Structures are given as structure tokens and as C-alpha cells.
Amino acid sequence: MTLSTSTRAPGLVRRRLVAGVAAGFLGMGAALGSGLMATASAAESTTITGVVLGVGANETQRIVTWYSSADTAQKIQLAPTAEIVNGEFPASAVSFEAVGAANTSTTGFNRHATISDLRENTTYSYRVGAEGSWSPAYSFKTRSFEGDYDFLFFGDPQIGASGDRLKDQAGWEETLKVATAANPNTELLVSAGDHVESANDESQWDSFLAPDQLRQYPLGATIGNHDVGGKSWEQHHFTPNTDRSAQYYTGDQATRSGGDFWYIYKDVLFIDLNSNSYANPADGSAGGDAAHVSYVTDVVKKHGSEAKWKVLVYHHSIYSAATHSTDGDNAARRKDFTTAFSDLGIDMVLQGHDHVYTRSYSIKNGQKENPAEQPGAADVFPGPGGVIYVTANSASGSKYYDIKKPGTTGTGPDGLGPDPLNPSNYWFNSVENQEHVRSYVKVSVKADKLVLENLRSGTCAAPNAAVEKGLSCVNTPEGQPVGSIVDSTTIHPYHGDGQAIQVNVPNPAPGEFGWTIDGYNGLVNLGTAQERNGTSFEATGKINPLLVTDSRRSLAPWSISANVGDFQDADKKFAGSYLGWTPYVLDGGAGAEAGAPVLSSFDDQGKGLSVSSGLAAAVQGHPRGGARLGADLDLKIPDSIAVGSYRTTLTITALSS
């Protein structure tokens, strides 16, 4: 029989840009001072406020949004920080023209502009406004466009919810300060929404935007239920690839704000939904959850292959454990979303709204995927369609909700019953936590896994407005200090995204011939290609060993062979013929004999592994039993191949009589 796999299997091949091509540098993140001042002008005709650095459509972009007191032509001015002398932007500084309109929720005007063509590993300074009325200059740093990175996820700051705006601001500022200082590889900030308590209260927006980190790191902003009812959210956050069609909104057209949008940052496709709209409009037209599912489906279909990971972000948590866990709108979302998200291969869903921390089990089609998955597992192995849902607690300390006891309604999309393995939790949650202390979520994006951590950014002590106003607090600073871990898990995707070569195969049936991977089907990473003799780049690795078993009485011949397609990175590619291998038998048995070595076409102008090549075989009459097979991989490519993170698929074929 023939067994073949078609799993996407990425591999990393990185190199410097060839001569004559400008070095492209991007990335994100280090906290760089925001106090660099432009030379003062004699005529400060326009006041600039509310500057916020937002995400762009990809790593080479940032969108900056701000308020201005006058309706004048304005722009962003950008230059490498190294070229700024005595606060003066050089003549070579690049400008990006701004667009905007009059504010509807307050006086003044809003503006936004998109910075494009950023370079990797470069510190930039930028300012907004116009000659004579520039803002202060702010700085951000790009990182490599390839490889691992961290992003931070923050639950509802909801500035003003405690009744003391300045206390809430202090907690929000402290969380961002603690989080970015503790995680120097942070490249991106992501919010769960509810930035403010009252959508059109600009003093609350001033407090939300007060932290310098919001001008130093790009923010992927999500709209919450407290952010709707006015245009302030949209005026402060202009987002990329946004669909503002009516079906993604709810309420009065004059006050609608938000929409659904997507962007790709390095190897993650982020899709952000305006979950305030969940029901079909009263006129019967398509909208609400159905429209969101249609949007996600379209984005994944068009852009899912451009990233290794798919992460959804929206405000209303469907698998939380506190006040909103029993809400009717969330019950509707559990029915409307979960099967679609499983079918689309979503890896993780980040949510807020319930002011509590939860991490779900791997959920497939609205059910716990693996009944044996243990509570609080440090490693999770979702199968196809398995999705991890996360709810973030308050990042400011303005409001906390306490965990509720499960009901008696069982499991599944309609059930809110207890977890059989941990009856104090809801059936869907691996972890639930509420200490009444500020926290945030860190996600480390790796080639072959996502590492999720929930970390304390505070203790019972101030700034912690809700506790300062009398709420109890169960944190013990001695054992649970700032920076300590509430929860940590490593998510190993079934398909092993980020792999250079990966195969997924069924288990062999007893009394038959078959093969499988020896152990977990993990990363096969060819690493970073090394330059050789000024003419080529080379990388080496090993396939995951294969186990072959043959218990047939016929003792018929068998063979295992494999081939690869082209290595691809978006619209860039190079031939699979540049990959060669040297097969070997690790543990003998079943008559296994290793196949012949295959050279890279770079060396012999052949076809390499782009054509089917033997890994091992056995002749008629071989003994029954098993063998363990391996192969060393040898990739050699011309030095003209463009920089990138290239992926291919190894297709393995088993033949037997």
C-alpha cells in the first residue's frame, strides 16, 4: 500500500541579503526612551496629543494615530535614531502624510498615517505634526523579520472602572513597565479590549494612553463592550486590513466603532474581531457571529498559508469562569464559533471581558478534545482542530470578577458543568485563577511551539485600585511576587508548524506492514544556512527516525521512499532538488537495508530529493520484526537565494507486495 503525507512542513533557511540589495531590518520592540525632543518652534499653532504606535499590515509597517487641536496638513517624520543630532531630524528623514477627520466624541481632530518599508534591527525615531508644531520624538526598535519572538497580551485595563481614574492609570502604567522590563524580547503588545470604562470619556483615554510603552511597541488593539457607543476607540486606533461593513457592528451607525481586521506579524496571522456584534440584525440581514465566521474563513483561506500560526483575538470570553461565563451572548458564541475555529485550524484564541485568568483544555468542535488531558498540564498536544482559549485578567487592577462554581448542565457547547478531573473548575478549563492582583499573558512564538505564561505584574499592594477600595486579596507577596508565574504551558501543535520537514502517519495495524514516527512528530529544523566558499549556503539536519514493522507471514518485499517539493516562503522559492540525504539503519530488523545516498543538485546537477528516493528496503523472505530508520539531510543552495524562512513537505511512500 502507499501512505503519503501532505502536511505543510516549514524549515528555516536564513542568509544575509546579497550585495546590491538594501539590508532589510524589522522586528519589534525594545523599550527605547520616548523623551527625545524636537527643536521648539516659535509658533506652536497645533497641539498634538494621544500619540499611539499601532500595528501595521506586516512587520515592515506601523500605523501611528494621534489627536490634534487644529485641522491642518500633518505627517509622520521618521529617521534612524543614529542620524538624529541634537534633537534635529536629518534632511534625509522620510515623511508619511496623514489623513483624518474631525472628532465626534470631543473637540479637535484625529489623524493617522502608516509608516512603511521599515528595515530590520534598526532603532527609529519618529514625530508627528508639521513644521512649527511637532510632537516630541519617540523611538522604537525593529528586530529580525525571521525567527522566534514574544508578544504580550493584556486584559481589560478599563480605566475608570474603579471610580478612581488615576489609580487605574497607575496600575496600567505599572503593568506595562513591569511586563516590558521583564521580557526584553517583546516585540508586540495585544489588548483584549475595554480600554476605558466610558467610551467617550477622553480623560480616561488620556490615562489609557499615558504609558510610554504605547509609543515604543506596536499595539494590536481590540475593541470591548465598554469601548463602544462612540467613535473614540476608532479615532484612537486605526487598524490595518479592516472591514467596517455594517454586519460587524451593532448599535447606532453614528456611534459604531471598530470592525474586523487582520495582520501578520512574523509567523503569526492575527485576526481581530469586534465581538460586540453577535446576533443577526433585526432586519434579517446576515451579520453578527455568522459574519465574523465568514470573515475569519475568508482571511484564513487567503492568508493562512503565509504564517505558521493562527491566533484570534476578541473581547468576549466564551470559556471563562467568572461573572460573564453564564451570559446568553457567550452561550451563543460557544455554538457559533467553536466548530468553525476547529475546522479552520486556529491555534489559539485570546479573550478578555471577564476579569479573571483562565486557560482552556484543547477544545475541538465545542468539546474537550482529549478526555485524558490533565488539569494544569505543562505540555499540551492538540490534535487536528484542537484550539486553546485564554482569558486574561485585569491588567490595571481597576476591576476583578470572582470565579463561579460550575453548574449541573454537563459538557459540550450547551454545558457549564464541572470538570470530571477537577470538579471545582468548569469542564472546559485546565486552569482558573483569581487572586485580585494585576497580571498579563506572555506568548513566546517558536518555530515548533507556543509557550504561554500568565505572570503577576502586581501584588495586593498599590497600585491595585479594586483592592485599595476594599476588595479582598489572596496573593502572598513572599511566595507570589511581581514577575512570578501563575500558569505556564507549552503548546505543541499536531502539525508541528515551523518544521523544515514533517510527516504525520497512521499507526500500523497488527499483522501488517507499516511505519510510523519514532516518538512525537516534532521539529526537524535545518537551522540557519551557513555560507561556504562564497558560492553557496549549506544546512544540515536529521529526519525524525521512522519505525518500520512487518509481521506478515508472506515476508514480501517492502520499501520506504520519499521526495520533497519546492521550498517556499510566500512568493519566493527554490527547488527541492537542492536537498540531499544519506539514509542509514539505526536499529536493524525486518531485513532493512539503507538506501543509497542522494546528493544535492548543487553538487551533481541531478534532481536530489525532488524525485522519489529510497530510504530503506527489504527483499523477499526477510525476517519479521521491526527496524528503525534515519537519514542525514544535506541542503546546499546557491548564494543567490533570497533571504527567507522557507518551507517544504516531505512525502513518504511505503510500498509492499
Side-chain angles (χ1 to χ4, degrees), residues 394-467:
S394 172
S396 68
S398 66
K399 181 194 291 185
Y400 304 101
Y401 291 139
D402 288 326
I403 294 171
K404 298 175 68 173
K405 292 182 178 180
T408 58
T409 51
T411 63
D414 296 320
L416 291 172
D419 177 9
L421 302 179
N422 185 10
S424 63
N425 282 12
Y426 287 93
W427 68 263
F428 40 75
N429 280 334
S430 175
V431 177
E432 299 176 355
N433 176 267
Q434 181 59 279
E435 300 170 5
H436 298 160
V437 300
R438 293 177 286 111
S439 67
Y440 65 94
V441 173
K442 172 185 175 182
V443 180
S444 296
V445 180
K446 309 290 186 182
D448 62 327
K449 54 183 171 286
L450 297 174
V451 181
L452 172 74
E453 293 180 302
N454 187 53
L455 299 140
R456 298 176 180 90
S457 57
T459 63
C460 295
N464 193 357
V467 172

Side-chain angles (χ1 to χ4, degrees), residues 46-100:
T46 302
T47 302
I48 303 296
T49 58
V51 178
V52 58
L53 183 68
V55 295
N58 55 44
E59 308 90 342
T60 69
Q61 294 185 356
R62 303 287 189 272
I63 297 176
V64 183
T65 310
W66 65 93
Y67 275 10
S68 68
S69 60
D71 189 13
T72 59
Q74 296 171 36
K75 60 187 176 182
I76 300 173
Q77 197 170 52
L78 177 81
T81 302
E83 297 178 11
I84 295 177
V85 180
N86 297 324
E88 293 284 353
F89 276 66
S92 59
V94 181
S95 293
F96 303 91
E97 298 301 319
V99 296

Side-chain angles (χ1 to χ4, degrees), residues 41 75 85 128 192 210 262 391 410 440 448 511 555 573 579 603 622:
S41 167
K75 60 187 176 182
V85 180
V128 304
W262 66 271
T391 311
Y440 65 94
D448 62 327
L555 305 179
K573 67 180 179 180
L579 183 65
D603 290 324
H622 64 80

Side-chain angles (χ1 to χ4, degrees), residues 4 27 29 40-41 111 115 125 146 154 210 253 273 329 439 475 486 514 523 534 545 551 582 653:
S4 111
S41 167
R111 293 286 185 268
I115 298 171
S125 291
E146 311 286 348
F154 300 94
Q253 184 175 358
L273 306 179
D329 58 333
S439 67
N475 170 268
V486 175
L523 175 68
S551 58
T582 301
T653 303

Side-chain angles (χ1 to χ4, degrees), residues 106 118 165 271 440 544 580 615 624:
T106 184
L118 292 168
R165 174 178 62 86
I271 306 176
Y440 65 94
N544 288 321
L615 176 65
R624 283 179 288 184

Side-chain angles (χ1 to χ4, degrees), residues 238-279:
F238 192 86
T239 52
N241 301 318
T242 304
D243 191 334
R244 296 182 175 85
S245 301
Q247 63 263 37
Y248 306 121
Y249 292 93
T250 186
D252 181 7
Q253 184 175 358
T255 62
R256 289 173 180 165
S257 195
D260 288 1
F261 67 95
W262 66 271
Y263 58 99
I264 293 177
Y265 191 86
K266 295 174 84 164
D267 284 326
V268 179
L269 170 61
F270 290 92
I271 306 176
D272 202 294
L273 306 179
N274 183 353
S275 59
N276 292 291
S277 173
Y278 74 96

